[in-house]
Amino acid sequence: MAESSGKAFDFKLFKRLLAFTKPYKMVFYFVALAAIAMSALGVLRPILLQMAIDTAILPKDYDGLVFYIAAMFGVLFLEVIFQFAFIFYTNWLGQHVIRDIRVKLFDLMLGFKMQYYDKNAVGRLTTRAVNDIETISSIFSQGLFMIISDLLKMLVIMGIMLYKSWQLSLIVFTILPIIIYATRVFQRAMKGAFEEVRNQVANLNSFVQERISGMKIVQLFTREDTEYENFEQINARHRKGWIKTVWYNSIFFPIAEMTSSVAIGMVVWYGGLNVTASGTITLGVIVAFIELSQMLFRPLRQIADKFNTLQMGMVATNRVFGILDTEAHIPDEGQTELTSTQGEIVFDDVHFGYIPDEEVLKGISFTASPGQTIALVGATGAGKSTIINLLSRFYEINSGEIRVDGNSIKDYTIKSLRDHIAIVLQDVFLFADTILQNITLGDEGISREQVEEAAKEIGVHEFISSLPDGYLYNVKERGTMLSSGQRQLIAFLRAYVSNPSILILDEATSSVDSHSEEMIQTATERITQGRTSIVIAHRLATIKKADLILVMEAGQIVERGTHKELLAKKDGYYRNLYEVQFLAEEIT
């Protein structure tokens, strides 16, 4: 993760962000040109006003006055045109940049290890991908180019001032260091405040997302009051962070306004004395200086405000780039495309732990021959699901080797390996979409006719057809419109239509009723024919039909054999497990 530099402005980070504008360099150059044009046009108006007073109004030259008024209207018209183009294309550029960053970020997140998601809250990642990236766009629309335009305008104004009157310029420039110093202090204070605000926004999003997702648990255990109090505390910290930014603004802007007013008052005082004494300063120059002073101080005050926007955008950039810099991918260095497979699976002395120095698997070795059904049995935490995670390369093993058809799974590309594996998990995840989309997952190679035919084969077509809109029925977020058994059937059909070479059932029938289980058992017999299957089972029927049962305890295989062979072992782990758990099921 990228770390905050602690500087008021991180130019290295900014340069990296500007690299995303390269595909749009023509727009970038045009916006820069528009900023220069706006600076020049903005300064012309006070000059024309001064000339109108000194050469037309005071001498009572009507034609000259008309000329200067027309010239000011022309300058104003051009300024409006360039300002329109400037605002439109800065926003256009910002939206295109954040689109590219968001696409890159999401593409990166699609390939992260499961271990990354185990350690990072969903709400926090959502904040990075949505809120923070949207904030980055303000760097272009309200920050970077606006500041450049204002700085150019200030430089031109200072040059014109010196040309018109060095005495009045000296008065104005004496005030400048005060505002510049106040602006610098303000910028540093706001950087820390915005860091805190973004942290509290992420915490707030994460808290709300988790509580909404787990609302059933909150209400079931009557934790509404407790969660309300927790939310009040988090929201109070969020409010405190924002109030700090408001406090800094409320101090800076009155000081800046008062200082600029003092400067204008001194210009009028000194310039008025000079005019009455018939000096070199004219009335037109005084009026021009009043206008130029306001134009000089206004951007300086606004730069502080725009720098706030730029600073918040940079804080967001730092957070987003922190994810972009994350090394959380499974190395996809395989050169072999797994186009077809016999389904032989070999675990050879595999060691693995989710946490360093805490092994979950301690030297697992077994072979699943093509077409075999392997059942994994053991208490919760024995390491059964971990074997499945490693076979699918969701995690990288610490040592040992996993082979499919004689080759290490690291030799295959991850995509081609996973294309031949179908998994039905105990905790089924369905997207807020139609049943058809949840089955095909957008695979255009699977037609609706194929889905319906597969559904008929495993006996779930009638159930799906009975729903409103049938296969086009929207199951809503996480499939909440379906029962757990129905979600399990949809997940099984999803695996079935993918026509896998290797089938994995992770306690796939543990939460379904007897009718649903009967359908799944029928489908299991169909789909496992000629396919290698690994089944984590809590039901007797699956275990009895397995070609090989692996009994696991504390990350090791303590027994292996067929159902009959393992039952024949007196005081064996499997026999004890069977008598306690499965025999009761058989009796019922």
Side-chain angles (χ1 to χ4, degrees):
M1 297 288 284
E3 297 294 334
S4 178
S5 65
K7 303 174 184 176
F9 189 82
D10 192 333
F11 284 98
K12 185 177 180 181
L13 185 66
F14 185 64
K15 182 179 179 181
R16 184 177 173 189
L17 176 63
L18 285 183
F20 282 90
T21 66
K22 286 183 179 179
Y24 317 106
K25 59 183 180 181
M26 294 306 296
V27 174
F28 184 90
Y29 293 148
F30 174 77
V31 169
L33 178 64
I36 295 172
M38 287 170 59
S39 302
L41 291 169
V43 175
L44 278 179
R45 285 186 287 111
I47 296 175
L48 290 172
L49 179 61
Q50 178 239 317
M51 295 175 69
I53 292 172
D54 289 341
T55 63
I57 295 177
L58 292 179
K60 298 181 180 180
D61 181 0
Y62 176 77
D63 291 335
L65 179 62
V66 171
F67 170 78
Y68 286 119
I69 291 174
M72 282 190 279
F73 269 112
V75 169
L76 182 62
F77 176 75
L78 289 175
E79 197 173 356
V80 168
I81 294 297
F82 276 104
Q83 192 167 20
F84 164 77
F86 179 82
I87 293 172
F88 177 81
Y89 282 107
T90 51
N91 281 275
W92 184 95
L93 182 63
Q95 290 301 316
H96 279 71
V97 167
I98 66 169
R99 179 200 63 184
D100 294 346
I101 295 176
R102 186 176 282 129
V103 168
K104 183 175 181 179
L105 179 67
F106 188 72
D107 181 58
L108 194 72
M109 292 170 69
L110 286 173
F112 279 166
K113 303 175 184 177
M114 290 300 106
Q115 204 162 12
Y116 179 84
Y117 295 104
D118 294 341
K119 297 178 180 178
N120 290 274
V122 174
R124 191 173 295 273
L125 293 174
T126 302
T127 300
R128 300 291 180 268
V130 180
N131 301 58
D132 284 342
I133 288 185
E134 197 62 43
T135 303
I136 292 175
S137 69
S138 63
I139 291 178
F140 298 94
S141 61
Q142 302 172 39
L144 168 66
F145 291 109
M146 288 290 188
I147 291 175
I148 292 174
S149 177
D150 288 343
L151 288 174
L152 285 173
K153 185 180 293 186
M154 289 171 64
L155 288 173
V156 174
I157 288 171
M158 292 171 71
I160 295 296
M161 281 182 163
L162 286 170
Y163 176 75
K164 293 293 183 182
S165 171
W166 68 267
Q167 299 99 323
L168 295 181
S169 298
L170 186 62
I171 293 173
V172 175
F173 295 166
T174 302
I175 304 297
L176 273 180
I178 300 174
I179 299 181
I180 291 173
Y181 175 75
T183 302
R184 184 65 174 171
V185 172
F186 179 67
Q187 290 169 356
R188 289 186 176 276
M190 290 302 288
K191 177 178 173 60
F194 281 138
E195 282 278 7
E196 185 177 345
V197 166
R198 296 314 302 171
N199 279 328
Q200 296 308 326
V201 167
N203 291 336
L204 190 63
N205 284 349
S206 181
F207 182 89
V208 172
Q209 189 272 333
E210 285 185 347
R211 269 54 183 185
I212 291 176
S213 298
M215 190 58 69
K216 183 182 292 184
I217 299 299
V218 172
Q219 294 182 359
L220 183 63
F221 289 90
T222 63
R223 306 300 294 171
E224 293 93 338
D225 292 342
T226 301
E227 296 303 337
Y228 176 78
E229 291 174 4
N230 292 336
F231 178 78
E232 274 197 324
Q233 293 174 9
I234 294 174
N235 201 34
R237 290 196 293 269
H238 177 260
R239 179 198 61 202
K240 183 179 179 181
W242 271 112
I243 287 178
K244 188 180 290 187
T245 68
V246 174
W247 168 252
Y248 292 142
N249 277 294
S250 64
I251 293 175
F252 172 76
F253 287 104
I255 291 175
E257 188 68 32
M258 180 186 67
T259 307
S260 62
S261 297
V262 169
I264 292 173
M266 292 178 66
V267 165
V268 173
W269 171 73
Y270 182 84
L273 290 177
N274 190 279
V275 170
T276 55
S278 300
T280 57
I281 299 174
T282 65
L283 182 61
V285 170
I286 294 175
V287 173
F289 257 78
I290 293 173
E291 183 74 15
L292 289 168
S293 296
Q294 290 177 333
M295 292 177 67
L296 179 64
F297 291 131
R298 189 185 306 120
L300 195 56
R301 295 195 303 269
Q302 291 176 349
I303 279 176
D305 193 33
K306 290 165 187 173
F307 197 89
N308 293 347
T309 301
L310 181 62
Q311 196 69 268
M312 184 169 264
M314 292 302 293
V315 169
T317 301
N318 186 62
R319 293 177 180 277
V320 172
F321 282 1
I323 299 180
L324 290 176
D325 292 338
T326 300
E327 296 294 335
H329 285 79
I330 296 288
D332 191 8
E333 300 171 352
Q335 301 295 318
T336 305
E337 291 286 335
L338 187 60
T339 55
S340 62
T341 176
Q342 297 298 314
E344 182 189 55
I345 302 170
V346 176
F347 273 63
D348 186 3
D349 194 26
V350 173
H351 291 256
F352 171 77
Y354 295 100
I355 302 173
D357 302 324
E358 291 186 22
E359 285 193 338
V360 176
L361 298 184
K362 306 169 184 177
I364 296 295
S365 297
F366 69 87
T367 298
S369 301
Q372 265 194 331
T373 297
I374 305 291
L376 301 179
V377 176
T380 301
K384 305 184 299 296
S385 296
T386 300
I387 288 178
I388 292 172
N389 289 332
L390 297 181
L391 178 61
S392 304
R393 289 201 72 189
F394 289 139
Y395 300 86
E396 285 288 74
I397 63 177
N398 296 344
S399 63
E401 189 174 51
I402 302 174
R403 297 188 292 273
V404 171
D405 287 356
N407 295 320
S408 171
I409 58 174
K410 294 182 180 181
D411 294 337
Y412 300 118
T413 61
I414 292 178
K415 183 181 185 305
S416 67
L417 174 67
R418 292 176 180 169
D419 279 344
H420 289 80
I421 301 174
I423 303 179
V424 180
L425 300 172
Q426 180 183 11
D427 182 18
V428 176
F429 186 94
L430 297 181
F431 295 96
D433 209 329
T434 64
I435 287 179
L436 182 63
Q437 281 296 315
N438 270 289
I439 293 170
T440 64
L441 297 178
D443 188 343
E444 297 179 356
I446 303 175
S447 66
R448 175 167 176 167
E449 290 72 21
Q450 289 175 291
V451 172
E452 291 186 10
E453 185 62 32
K456 291 175 183 177
E457 290 180 12
I458 65 174
V460 299
H461 176 71
E462 186 176 342
F463 139 64
I464 297 175
S465 299
S466 67
L467 296 171
D469 300 322
Y471 287 86
L472 299 181
Y473 179 65
N474 194 309
V475 300
K476 305 301 180 183
E477 187 176 1
R478 299 186 68 90
T480 54
M481 301 303 292
L482 302 177
S483 69
S484 59
Q486 290 171 331
R487 291 196 296 270
Q488 200 68 259
L489 289 169
I490 296 301
F492 200 92
L493 182 56
R494 177 162 62 194
Y496 186 49
V497 298
S498 68
N499 193 28
S501 301
I502 298 171
L503 175 67
I504 297 173
L505 304 179
D506 186 355
E507 302 179 2
T509 61
S510 63
S511 60
V512 300
D513 54 39
S514 57
H515 176 66
S516 298
E517 182 188 0
E518 185 179 340
M519 287 192 291
I520 289 179
Q521 291 294 350
T522 301
T524 300
E525 292 178 7
R526 288 178 179 272
I527 196 171
T528 54
Q529 290 177 2
R531 293 182 176 88
T532 306
S533 304
I534 298 179
V535 183
I536 297 176
H538 280 179
R539 298 294 180 96
L540 179 62
T542 305
I543 294 175
K544 275 186 172 181
K545 295 177 182 178
D547 298 304
L548 177 65
I549 299 173
L550 303 178
V551 185
M552 298 188 65
E553 182 182 19
Q556 295 179 309
I557 298 175
V558 293
E559 292 178 355
R560 65 182 74 203
T562 63
H563 176 65
K564 291 183 178 180
E565 290 171 351
L566 293 175
L567 280 183
K569 294 182 179 181
K570 292 182 179 181
D571 296 325
Y573 187 97
Y574 178 81
R575 178 165 176 163
N576 292 334
L577 184 68
Y578 172 78
E579 289 175 350
V580 172
Q581 182 176 348
F582 300 129
L583 190 58
E585 179 187 338
E586 192 172 35
I587 293 173
T588 57

